[in-house]
Amino acid sequence: MNIKNSKNLFSQAKQFIPGGVNSPVRAFKAVGGDPLFIKSANGAYLYDEDDNAYIELINSWGPMILGHNHPDVREAVVKAIAGGTSFGAPTAREVEIAELICSMVPSIEKVRMVNSGTEATMSAIRVARGYTGRDKFIKFEGNYHGHGDSFLIAAGSGAMTMGTPNSPGVTTGTAMDTLLAPYNDLSAVKSLVEANKDEIAAIILEPVAGNMGCVLPAPGFLEGLRGLCDEEGIVLIFDEVMTGFRLSAGGAQELLGVKPDMTTLGKIIGGGMPVGAYGGRKEIMEYVSPDGPVYQAGTLSGNPMAMAAGFAMLKQLSEHPEVYSKLETTGGKLVEGIKDSLKKLNLSFTVNHLGSMYSLFFTDLKVKDLTTAQSCDTALFGKYFQAMLHRGVYLAPSQFESLFLSTALEEKEIAHVIEANEDSLKEILS
Ligand code: KE4
C-alpha cells in the first residue's frame, strides 16, 4: 500500500507539532507504523493523502454516526458561515439546540454549551463540588473523561495506551481529591463512600465504557450507584460524551433506564464541530454563573457554526428513530460475522458489543473492567490493526478504544469487514 505522502507529511509534522499530531492516540504509537494523513471523507469512507480508501469504523471517535459529510450538516454549516463565524454574544441557534437537547436527554433540564468533552467534564465536577460543598469525587479505572488534571489518574483511552496512567504535571494536591474504584465494582464504591463520609461531591462514569475498549455495566451496577448517590447526597454524573445520542436518541441513560443528576456530552452533539455540553437538574444547574456562584466561561462556547452543525445532526437523530434500528442491525450483523470467524478459527477472543459500539479483545477473559481489559495481547492487536488497514478497514489505533459504527455502512461494507477480519486473523496467527 503506497503511503508515501502520509509519511512525508508525518516527518514534516513532527518538526512543528508534538509527536506530529494534535491528539496522542492518532500517532499510532500503540499499533506501530506511521499514522495516515486523511485528505477527505464521505459516507462510510476515509481517503488518505495517497488516495487509499478505507471503510471507517472509528468515525472521528464517535461523531460521524450518520457517516461523513452528511448533506444536512454540511449545508447547515455553509449557511451559518454566510452570516459570520463568531459573535461572542447570545444567538437564536443556541436556544434551539438547548431546547432540543433538553427534550432528548432525560436528565437534562438545563444545559451549558462548551467546546469539548474535556471542558464539559471539568465543569460538571466543579458544579457538583459547588452544589454539594464537598471536594472529593469517584471515577473508575479505565474510564476516560478528557485531559482535565483531576481525571488523569489511571485514565483509560490515550493516557492508558501511552502507558502513563498518572500523567506528569498533575499535582498530588489535585490527585488527592480523586478516588478510584474498579469499573463494575459496587462494593468498592460503597467502601470508598464509607471511608470518605460526607466528603464526596460526585461519582462520574461512562455508563457504557468505551475508553478501555467497549465494556458494559454489569446488571445492577448503574442502579446501585443511583441508589447510593440518593442515600448519600452525591451527584451522579454520566459522562455520555461517547454514548450520548449514540446508544439511543436519549443516550445510555434512556436505553438503560437509569437517570443521573448531571450528564456530560460531546462528539455527536457537534456534528463534527468542536462542541461539548454539560447539563442536569435545574436546582444543580442554577449554581452555574451568571445564575449562581460556580464560574465557567468560554469565548467560542455556543459558536454559531458549531451550533448549526450540532442542531442539524441532533434534528436528524431526533426525527429519525429508524437510525437506531439500522445501527442495531448493522452492529448485530458485523459482530455475528466476527464471532462466526472466531469459532471457525477456534479462537476464544472476547467481543463486547452494544448497539453501534463494539470491541474485539485479544484475550479469552470476560472483559468487565480495566484489569481484564489489560490482559489483552496488545502486540497481537497491533498486527491485527495493520492487517485490517492493509485490507482497507480503518480501526481505532488502540486495543483500548471502542469502535463506532455509522448508518453509512451498507451490506457491501459489512461483508468486506467480516472477510477482512477473518483473513487478518488467519494472517497474524499463521
Ligand atoms: P474531548 O475533550 O476529546 O472532546 O472529550 C474528552 C472525553 C470525555 N469523555 C469521554 C467518555 C471521552 O471518550 C472523551 C474523548 N474520547 C477520546 C476517544 N477515546 C477522544 C480521542 C482523542 O483523545 O483523540
Side-chain angles (χ1 to χ4, degrees):
M1 186 168 78
N2 166 33
I3 56 167
K4 184 170 62 59
N5 293 337
S6 280
K7 277 192 172 309
N8 292 340
L9 277 165
F10 190 44
S11 50
Q12 209 185 344
K14 281 187 281 192
Q15 295 172 54
F16 308 107
I17 306 169
V21 291
N22 283 311
S23 198
V25 71
R26 300 178 190 172
F28 279 21
K29 282 229 180 307
V31 293
D34 289 347
L36 299 174
F37 279 62
I38 303 303
K39 181 159 64 176
S40 68
N42 199 45
Y45 291 86
L46 286 179
Y47 302 93
D48 70 14
E49 287 289 347
D50 297 281
D51 296 326
N52 300 304
Y54 306 90
I55 294 172
E56 245 279 52
L57 296 188
I58 187 70
N59 283 296
S60 181
W61 304 93
M64 301 299 142
I65 190 169
L66 298 177
H68 285 283
N69 201 13
H70 190 282
D72 283 37
V73 176
R74 186 182 61 244
E75 272 133 46
V77 175
V78 168
K79 190 158 159 271
I81 289 177
T85 54
S86 177
F87 316 125
T91 62
R93 283 198 180 91
E94 291 162 89
V95 183
E96 63 180 3
I97 195 170
E99 190 174 4
L100 182 55
I101 291 165
C102 292
S103 72
M104 291 175 77
V105 185
S107 65
I108 296 184
E109 295 176 336
K110 281 203 168 183
V111 61
R112 167 63 61 85
M113 307 308 286
V114 293
N115 300 283
S116 69
T118 294
E119 260 195 280
T121 54
M122 279 166 54
S123 309
I125 289 291
R126 185 182 309 140
V127 173
R129 285 172 162 158
Y131 174 70
T132 59
R134 302 173 181 176
D135 294 346
K136 293 181 178 171
F137 74 94
I138 295 174
K139 78 173 285 288
F140 293 88
E141 290 159 3
N143 276 194
Y144 175 70
H145 303 293
H147 63 87
D149 277 8
S150 48
F151 297 118
L152 290 181
I153 318 285
S157 184
M160 185 167 79
T161 307
M162 304 299 283
T164 55
N166 290 314
S167 169
V170 176
T171 65
T172 39
T174 303
M176 263 160 47
D177 286 330
T178 304
L179 305 173
L180 283 170
Y183 196 73
N184 277 323
D185 187 340
L186 196 53
S187 60
V189 179
K190 286 177 176 165
S191 313
L192 282 175
V193 170
E194 276 319 301
N196 298 274
K197 204 78 182 151
D198 300 332
E199 293 181 70
I200 296 173
I203 295 176
I204 185 169
L205 77 157
E206 297 176 51
V208 172
N211 286 293
M212 46 184 151
C214 180
V215 176
L216 277 58
F221 179 56
L222 299 180
E223 296 78 359
L225 292 177
R226 179 66 278 170
L228 190 58
C229 288
D230 289 340
E231 283 157 28
E232 302 287 338
I234 295 172
V235 176
L236 181 59
I237 303 173
F238 277 7
D239 178 355
E240 296 225 39
V241 167
M242 266 187 181
T243 55
F245 313 113
R246 173 162 285 280
L247 293 180
S248 83
Q253 58 193 268
E254 182 179 82
L255 183 73
L256 303 174
V258 178
K259 201 170 169 183
D261 301 303
M262 294 181 81
T263 300
T264 54
L265 298 164
K267 298 181 192 278
I268 291 173
I269 194 173
M273 298 286 267
V275 179
Y278 65 97
R281 286 195 279 117
K282 261 200 186 88
E283 60 175 307
I284 299 176
M285 292 304 289
E286 275 155 11
Y287 269 70
V288 181
S289 173
D291 271 352
V294 180
Y295 194 70
Q296 182 271 312
T299 305
L300 295 174
S301 297
N303 170 276
M305 298 180 294
M307 295 299 100
F311 186 73
M313 172 68 92
L314 297 187
K315 209 159 165 340
Q316 277 293 319
L317 299 176
S318 63
E319 291 173 357
H320 298 278
E322 68 276 12
V323 160
Y324 296 101
S325 39
K326 178 167 188 185
L327 289 169
E328 200 61 42
T329 308
T330 303
K333 282 183 183 167
L334 192 51
V335 168
E336 239 7 83
I338 290 170
K339 286 181 173 174
D340 289 348
S341 298
L342 291 173
K343 223 177 277 157
K344 206 191 286 182
L345 301 171
N346 199 21
L347 295 170
S348 53
F349 294 149
T350 292
V351 182
N352 286 353
H353 161 234
L354 185 61
S356 62
M357 292 174 68
Y358 83 91
S359 290
L360 168 59
F361 290 100
F362 283 71
T363 178
D364 53 7
L365 295 184
K366 191 176 171 326
V367 179
K368 59 181 178 56
D369 58 16
L370 179 59
T371 306
T372 43
Q374 287 184 318
S375 71
C376 289
D377 180 342
T378 50
L380 192 59
F381 175 83
K383 290 190 187 128
Y384 172 75
F385 173 86
Q386 293 296 346
M388 289 290 272
L389 202 60
H390 282 77
R391 290 175 172 81
V393 180
Y394 193 84
L395 304 176
S398 161
Q399 169 71 89
F400 307 112
E401 294 288 354
S402 178
L403 295 175
F404 300 104
L405 306 176
S406 81
T407 52
L409 293 165
E410 302 295 354
E411 292 302 327
K412 178 172 145 248
E413 287 75 27
I414 296 170
H416 180 97
V417 173
I418 291 170
E419 187 183 350
N421 171 69
E422 184 160 318
D423 293 346
S424 298
L425 288 170
K426 279 181 193 162
E427 176 192 318
I428 63 174
L429 294 165
S430 58

